[in-house]
Amino acid sequence: MNPASANDVKKAIRDRIAEIAKTLGNNARSLKDDDVIPEASLLDSAGIMELIMWYEAHWDLSIPQQDLTIENFGTVDAMAAYLRQAGK
Amino acid sequence: MPTPLRIPRINNNDDTVRLTSILVQPGDAVRAGQSLAEIETDKATFDVEAENEAYVLSILHQPGETVEVGSVLFWLGAAPDEAVPHTETAAAETATAATGGTVAEPTLKASILLADYDLRADQVPSSGPRLTAANVESFVRQRGLQLVKQRTAQAEEPPAMLPSASGTHMPLTPEERGMLRTVVWQRDVAVPGYVEIQYDPAPWEAQATAYQKREKLLLSPLLSFMAWRLVRLAAENRQWNATITGADKYVYNSVNLGFTVQSGSTLYLAVVQEADQMTLPAFLDRLGLLQRAAVGNRLKPFEMSGATISFSSMARWQASRHIPVLPPNTAIIAAHAATRDGIATLGATYDHRILSGFDAISILRGMIAPEESD
C-alpha cells in the first residue's frame, strides 16, 4: 500500500467513525490515529461492531472472530496496518 | 358429545398404573377438579380428576386392575343419559391406536396447533411416537375445523376502522411482519408483567473491563456477561425456562438465549442455541459472531428463532429504562439500560402465566452483580 492510499484508508476509517459517533451524539473530529478507540468514549461496543462490519464490506474482508483484538483494531493506525497485512 | 377421561401418565417410565379406587358411579354429576378415582405407581399415588363439569356415563375398569396409561377410564357427558360410544374400546383407542395404547406426546408446534383448534392430544391420532403438527393439520383438514381464535374473531370483532386521513396501503416488510407477530403474541397469548430493580453497575463494569484488558478484546463483554448470568439462572431454575402450550407448561430442554441487536432500522433477536451447554468463552464467541451477523443483516433463520429467554439493552441510546416486548414463547426478557448518577435500572417483561412477580424479581436480583464463578 503506498503512502497516499494509506492516508486514504485512514481518512476513510476516521470518516466512518465520525458518522457512527454522530448517531450516538458524539463528535469524533478530534480523534487521532493512535487514540485507542474503545477508550475514547466515542463509540460503544455496538458502534465498534458497526465499524468492523463496514470495514469488512468496504475492503471485502472476512475477519475471524479471534482477530478482533485491541492490537489489530484498537486504533485507526492498527486498522490500516491490518489491511496492509491482509494484502489490501 | 361424550368425552373420554383417560389414565394419565405419572412417571415417564411407567406405561401402566394400578387402579386402587373408583370414587363415583354412573349417573353422578361431577364438578371440575373433583377426584373421580385413585391410581398408584411404585412411587406415587395420584387422583384422576374431572376436567369440567359433567355426568359420569360409564366406568371401564374396576379397582385392583392394572391399566395402561392413556386408556379410557371414564366416559363423561353433558347429560346423564348421553349414549356412550357403542364400540367403547374402538372409540376410546382411536386417537391412541398408532402409539399402542398411550397418548402420543405432542411436539411444541403440535401443542400450539392443538390449542389453536381447542383440541386435546388424545383426540388426534398420531402417525408415530410423537404427535406432530402434520398429524394435527391432517385431522383438522379432514374435519373442516376452524381456528378457535378465528371463530372468536368472526363472532366478536367489529369491522376494521380505516383511518380518516388519506394514505397509501403498503405491504409489510419481513421485519415489520416479524415485529407484528411478536407484539400480537404478547397481546393475544402471554399475560405480560413488568418489574424493575435499581443497582450499582460498578462491579459488573469492573469485571468486564478487567476481562477485556486481560483477553485484549476490542469489545467490552459487559452485556454478554450479564446475558450469560441470565443463562446460568435459567439453567439452574428450569421452571423459568418454559412457556405455556394449551393447558400445559412446556419446559424447554435447553436455554436458548435471545439477544436483541439493532441494525439500522431493524431490530433482530439473535439466538444462541443451547447456551447452557457452553463454556463462558464459547458463549462470548458465539454471541459475538451472531451480533456481527445481525449488524451485517446476515443472520440465518435458525439464528433468529427458538429463543427461550432473552436479553435487551437500550443503553447505547441513553435510555434509562425500557419495557421490551416478550419474544414469542419466552417467559422473560431482561431490559438493560443506561446508568444515571452511578445507578442503573434493570427491568424485565415476563409472562405471568409462567413466572410470578417474585420469580421475576429473583431473576433480576441474580443478575445485578457478578458472582465469583462468572
Side-chain angles (χ1 to χ4, degrees):
Chain A
M1 184 186 295
N2 63 48
S5 57
N7 284 337
D8 289 342
V9 165
K10 293 183 188 181
K11 182 179 184 308
I13 294 170
R14 282 197 305 271
D15 286 347
R16 187 61 188 154
I17 290 173
E19 283 173 13
I20 298 171
K22 191 175 176 184
T23 67
L24 300 173
N26 300 323
N27 185 335
R29 286 185 194 194
S30 59
L31 181 73
K32 301 187 194 57
D33 290 351
D34 59 353
D35 283 338
V36 180
I37 297 166
E39 294 175 7
S41 300
L42 295 170
L43 303 183
D44 57 8
S45 288
I48 293 173
M49 206 168 294
E50 282 183 48
L51 177 65
I52 297 299
M53 297 309 301
W54 165 84
Y55 181 96
E56 284 186 308
H58 195 74
W59 284 292
D60 194 25
L61 276 179
S62 180
I63 302 170
Q65 187 72 7
Q66 62 267 24
D67 280 6
L68 285 183
T69 61
I70 284 282
E71 186 179 345
N72 290 333
F73 292 94
T75 65
V76 174
D77 284 338
M79 293 178 75
Y82 186 89
L83 206 57
R84 269 198 308 277
Q85 288 167 15
K88 297 288 180 176
Chain B
M1 178 179 171
T3 55
L5 184 58
R6 296 179 185 276
I7 298 289
R9 181 173 291 282
I10 300 177
N11 300 314
N12 280 335
N13 296 327
D14 291 328
D15 291 326
T16 60
V17 298
R18 216 158 27 255
L19 178 61
T20 54
S21 61
I22 297 287
L23 305 174
V24 293
Q25 304 174 34
D28 281 355
V30 299
R31 62 184 185 285
Q34 181 177 341
S35 295
L36 308 186
E38 291 173 340
I39 56 177
E40 67 178 30
T41 66
D42 290 335
K43 296 181 184 139
T45 300
F46 195 81
D47 287 350
V48 179
E49 297 178 353
E51 293 173 5
N52 303 297
E53 277 188 6
Y55 287 89
V56 177
L57 302 179
S58 70
I59 304 169
L60 274 64
H61 297 283
Q62 298 301 315
E65 286 186 43
T66 296
V67 292
E68 285 189 352
V69 170
S71 63
V72 179
L73 178 55
F74 296 101
W75 280 101
L76 304 175
D81 56 353
E82 273 191 52
V84 175
H86 70 277
T87 310
E88 292 182 6
T89 301
E93 298 309 313
T94 296
T96 61
T99 57
T102 59
V103 179
E105 186 183 347
T107 62
L108 175 58
K109 197 171 174 187
S111 294
I112 293 170
L113 281 174
L114 287 171
D116 285 347
Y117 288 96
D118 196 20
L119 292 169
R120 298 189 314 274
D122 62 331
Q123 293 176 286
V124 181
S126 66
S127 55
R130 298 287 300 276
L131 183 66
T132 66
N135 295 148
V136 179
E137 285 163 350
S138 173
F139 182 87
V140 161
R141 198 165 43 244
Q142 286 168 12
R143 286 156 181 78
L145 299 180
Q146 290 185 5
L147 284 167
V148 169
K149 283 182 184 159
Q150 191 176 47
R151 288 201 295 271
T152 304
Q154 287 167 353
E156 297 175 3
E157 201 159 296
M161 291 182 62
L162 293 177
S164 56
S166 63
T168 305
H169 288 279
M170 296 179 67
L172 295 175
T173 64
E175 292 77 21
E176 288 169 338
R177 283 201 298 275
M179 184 170 72
L180 184 60
R181 273 197 301 273
T182 296
V183 299
V184 169
W185 181 84
Q186 174 166 300
R187 184 196 69 186
D188 289 348
V189 181
V191 180
Y194 175 77
V195 69
E196 65 184 39
I197 193 170
Q198 291 192 318
Y199 69 107
D200 176 7
W204 269 125
E205 288 165 357
Q207 186 176 64
T209 300
Y211 188 93
Q212 184 179 9
K213 281 196 169 135
R214 188 170 68 244
E215 303 296 325
K216 298 183 174 56
L217 300 180
L218 178 65
L219 304 169
S220 167
L222 172 62
L223 298 185
S224 302
F225 273 5
M226 295 186 75
W228 173 248
R229 190 82 195 95
L230 179 59
V231 169
R232 297 316 317 160
L233 286 166
E236 292 157 13
N237 299 275
R238 289 290 183 182
Q239 71 276 16
W240 294 340
N241 191 47
T243 188
I244 297 289
T245 59
D248 291 336
K249 184 176 184 175
Y250 191 89
V251 179
Y252 292 111
N253 291 333
S254 5
V255 179
N256 301 335
L257 187 277
F259 192 97
T260 59
V261 182
Q262 188 78 37
S263 176
S265 60
T266 302
L267 181 66
Y268 291 106
L269 186 74
V271 182
V272 180
Q273 307 282 346
E274 300 180 341
D276 55 324
Q277 293 160 45
M278 294 179 172
T279 61
L280 175 58
F283 173 80
L284 296 178
D285 202 54
R286 180 63 185 152
L287 183 54
L289 283 168
L290 287 172
Q291 288 175 286
R292 289 174 65 185
V295 170
N297 300 301
R298 292 187 279 106
L299 281 172
K300 300 182 180 61
F302 78 92
E303 294 172 331
M304 295 186 281
S305 64
T308 63
I309 52 167
S310 294
F311 184 96
S312 175
S313 177
M314 293 193 80
R316 72 180 316 219
W317 294 282
Q318 300 306 312
S320 54
R321 66 162 47 83
H322 69 288
I323 303 177
V325 177
L326 273 167
N329 299 314
T330 61
I332 191 164
I333 177 166
H336 174 267
T339 301
R340 286 256 188 277
D341 301 321
I343 297 292
T345 298
L346 184 67
T349 305
Y350 61 99
D351 187 347
H352 222 315
R353 299 175 304 156
I354 289 285
L355 302 177
S356 66
F358 178 73
D359 291 333
I361 276 287
S362 297
I363 292 169
L364 293 183
R365 286 176 61 86
M367 288 178 70
I368 57 175
E371 294 193 345
E372 285 184 13
S373 56
D374 282 331

